[in-house]
Amino acid sequence: MKNFRGHKQSKLPKSDDTISQTGPGTPGGEYLRRYWHPVALTSEVSTTPLQVRVLSEDLIIFKTTENKIGLVHKNCPHRRASLVYGKCEKKGIRCCYHGWLFSTDGEILETPGEDPNSKQATNLRKKFRLGAYPTIEFNGLVFAYMGPTENIPEFPHYDAFDVPKITRRPYRIKYKCNWIQVLDAIMDPVHTSFLHGQNSEIQFSKGFAEIGELEFFERGVQYLGCNTRRVDDYVWVRVNELILPNFTQAGSAFAADGTRTRYFGRSSFTRWVIPVDDNNCTALAWANFGERGDPIEYNSQEGCERIEGGEIMNRSWKERQKHPGDTEAVEGMGPISAHKGEHLMPTDYGVMIYRRRIRKLIKNLKEGKEPPQPQQKKGEIVKTNGQDTVLRMPKRNIDDRKFIKSIGSAVMKLQFETEKMPIKERDNSIINQLKEMEDRGGL
Ligand code: FES
Ligand SMILES: [Fe+2]
């Protein structure tokens, strides 16, 4: 009977507040506020104000009748009415209660019930503004910067924005849990073999159920988890990517299955995981379709859901229990996972190293050191490494696990060596070298 530990372990372990808190003034929240984040789909933003919650702040996003986007604090600074009931006009948003008008950068343009020349009205207009954040609309997503304006970073341009002949479909998927739980999955490539393969049902393709050889890389703010599988006569290298704090990519969900050659296919999604608050987060992304992305037949809401989490969102409890996808795996941990109750193993190395780094960057910021941005210098295009490659390399009379691992490492090496090249040149160089490697049957 002594072996039953239920009572001994009945107290729920604590969460890691440093990385899970997102609100204004919290160390984690301040760290996250040093970056541009998508906050809405362009299609969600109109002259009908929309309430959004981002980093534990309630905000209103709207378009003026001149198509300028505003992202402002929810409550009117007069007597706190919600601007979700506001009216969008040429110059900004007008509060429903007493008609104050605010520009997209928060300037109080009118206080119509008051004498405009009164001392109070003039003083207020001069000294006070509604809280507002700068936004950039890009390719169907609206990004915002919610940090101090003296530190505003350049909007990072990733090479993924420029992959030719890709149809990008913006999407939003909501999760009822802390952002770290969703982010963890990207640095946990081994879960694809179980959650998406062996344990539930085949959610992407049969090859996913194979267990690969893992290798992790920490390169500045870029974190990579490379998973190399053997599928019959093929070696399949799939690379998951995280660029801090929350930019993520992976190989395709449906285009590569380990049974056909593929050379440097690019990510199924270009995706950011944004905290709504400490207990909720949202993935805002583009699903990428085309020859180097996923097959165009997945270009639908359901297709995006399957790319994002293996299963569609709207399912019965019975279905969800029988065939859990990422949503069930990460939400099942509870709104904020009890991190101190985890038992991290070597396959969790990616999760360990990126969390450790975020903790460190949060600590540094508390001590006044600004965190690094993805781009090293102004105007730079950030080269990314999330991809999938499948090479025809039948088994030989050698240790195959060692062999496939060496192929994974070699593929990563040639990606790293070509990072300084312009995009097209880099693509050609990688693809040619992969074909040569395949022809040689190895390194
Ligand atoms: S509460 Fe908004 S104008 Fe009075
Ligand atoms: Fe997953």
Side-chain angles (χ1 to χ4, degrees):
M1 291 302 216
K2 273 201 306 233
N3 286 337
F4 289 90
R5 301 227 187 126
H7 180 259
K8 209 170 167 188
Q9 292 171 198
S10 57
K11 213 169 138 207
L12 195 65
K14 288 200 169 30
S15 303
D16 185 340
D17 290 347
T18 308
I19 53 176
S20 54
Q21 289 182 343
T22 65
T26 62
E30 284 309 304
Y31 162 68
L32 286 164
R33 280 168 174 75
R34 268 31 186 201
Y35 298 90
W36 285 93
H37 300 288
V39 295
L41 306 178
T42 306
S43 59
E44 296 170 332
V45 183
S46 71
T47 50
T48 303
L50 175 77
Q51 185 169 332
V52 288
R53 194 164 160 76
V54 185
L55 300 176
S56 306
E57 289 184 43
D58 287 319
L59 306 170
I60 303 298
I61 189 162
F62 64 95
K63 251 184 199 170
T64 66
T65 53
E66 287 192 328
N67 261 334
K68 227 171 139 192
I69 293 176
L71 178 69
V72 297
H73 286 175
K74 178 189 143 204
N75 295 103
C76 171
H78 177 216
R79 295 239 319 277
R80 315 292 297 166
S82 170
L83 291 168
V84 79
Y85 304 109
K87 204 164 105 209
C88 294
E89 301 185 357
K90 198 169 157 193
K91 288 190 177 156
I93 189 164
R94 191 178 291 281
C95 179
C96 69
Y97 209 7
H98 312 93
W100 288 21
L101 179 69
F102 304 95
S103 70
T104 53
D105 63 3
E107 187 184 346
I108 305 172
L109 299 173
E110 290 174 20
T111 54
E114 312 299 327
D115 171 359
N117 300 319
S118 73
K119 216 169 128 196
Q120 290 98 325
T122 326
N123 258 346
L124 184 79
R125 282 208 306 272
K126 229 193 272 168
K127 291 196 184 132
F128 192 80
R129 281 170 172 257
L130 166 68
Y133 295 115
T135 60
I136 290 177
E137 198 277 324
F138 182 71
N139 218 355
L141 294 176
V142 181
F143 293 79
Y145 174 75
M146 293 170 63
T149 42
E150 57 275 18
N151 295 326
I152 188 159
E154 199 183 346
F155 177 65
H157 189 114
Y158 294 96
D159 60 358
F161 299 176
D162 304 321
V163 179
K165 296 188 199 144
I166 287 280
T167 303
R168 295 178 178 82
R169 182 190 177 99
Y171 73 82
R172 176 199 282 279
I173 305 269
K174 297 175 186 172
Y175 291 94
K176 292 191 213 85
C177 66
N178 186 259
W179 74 292
I180 288 288
Q181 277 147 253
V182 177
L183 205 60
D184 281 344
I186 202 81
M187 286 318 293
D188 168 20
V190 81
H191 88 270
T192 56
S193 309
F194 297 95
L195 180 70
H196 302 300
Q198 298 182 16
N199 291 16
S200 185
E201 62 181 336
I202 300 300
Q203 289 170 335
F204 300 125
S205 65
K206 224 169 105 212
F208 271 89
E210 298 294 331
I211 299 171
E213 289 289 325
L214 300 181
E215 194 170 6
F216 294 98
F217 299 85
E218 186 174 20
R219 312 171 70 239
V221 288
Q222 184 188 59
Y223 287 77
L224 301 165
C226 173
N227 193 356
T228 308
R229 293 170 166 95
R230 158 70 66 196
V231 182
D232 302 323
D233 282 349
Y234 294 86
V235 178
W236 176 12
V237 184
R238 189 171 194 268
V239 183
N240 287 14
E241 175 167 38
L242 163 66
I243 296 182
L244 294 184
N246 58 352
F247 171 91
T248 64
Q249 296 198 116
S252 68
F254 297 101
D257 60 3
T259 68
R260 283 163 298 192
T261 50
R262 186 168 170 87
Y263 307 103
F264 199 45
R266 298 312 312 257
S267 183
S268 54
F269 50 59
T270 306
R271 166 184 178 263
W272 290 258
V273 180
I274 327 297
V276 169
D277 51 31
D278 296 356
N279 297 335
N280 297 278
C281 66
T282 197
L284 281 159
W286 299 290
N288 300 322
F289 302 105
E291 214 180 288
R292 293 177 72 203
D294 264 307
I296 194 77
E297 55 264 34
Y298 290 92
N299 185 359
S300 63
Q301 176 58 31
E302 288 202 353
C304 290
E305 291 173 3
R306 292 187 60 198
I307 287 169
E308 169 75 22
E311 296 284 355
I312 59 164
M313 296 293 146
N314 190 10
R315 296 189 298 152
S316 67
W317 166 247
K318 219 169 136 190
E319 259 301 298
R320 294 176 55 202
Q321 191 177 29
K322 207 162 159 208
H323 301 299
D326 283 301
T327 304
E328 287 72 32
V330 298
E331 290 183 354
M333 296 165 192
I336 307 180
S337 185
H339 301 106
K340 310 278 180 208
E342 295 173 330
H343 295 84
L344 299 180
M345 292 286 149
T347 55
D348 299 307
Y349 184 66
V351 168
M352 278 183 240
I353 55 174
Y354 100 82
R355 286 193 199 163
R356 191 194 297 152
R357 183 74 185 291
I358 288 189
R359 268 186 232 113
K360 176 97 173 86
L361 294 176
I362 290 173
K363 185 169 169 272
N364 288 350
L365 181 62
K366 257 168 65 183
E367 290 161 3
K369 193 167 171 230
E370 290 294 320
Q373 294 292 324
Q375 67 276 37
Q376 307 290 310
K377 44 184 193 289
K378 210 173 155 45
E380 180 191 42
I381 293 181
V382 183
K383 299 288 169 42
T384 62
N385 285 299
Q387 64 104 3
D388 48 25
T389 284
V390 185
L391 303 176
R392 189 170 186 281
M393 286 181 171
K395 268 191 194 169
R396 293 184 303 179
N397 204 9
I398 48 172
D399 180 338
D400 195 57
R401 298 306 290 182
K402 263 196 196 151
F403 173 70
I404 63 167
K405 190 161 188 181
S406 74
I407 297 299
S409 304
V411 170
M412 296 313 296
K413 190 164 169 256
L414 70 90
Q415 281 180 229
F416 299 156
E417 282 171 356
T418 49
E419 271 175 331
K420 295 244 151 39
M421 292 180 181
I423 296 169
K424 207 167 159 212
E425 223 175 281
R426 181 182 189 225
D427 278 0
N428 289 339
S429 171
I430 292 174
I431 292 167
N432 288 337
Q433 291 190 67
L434 289 172
K435 287 181 178 171
E436 282 165 24
M437 201 190 291
E438 188 178 48
D439 288 344
R440 287 196 300 271
L443 304 178

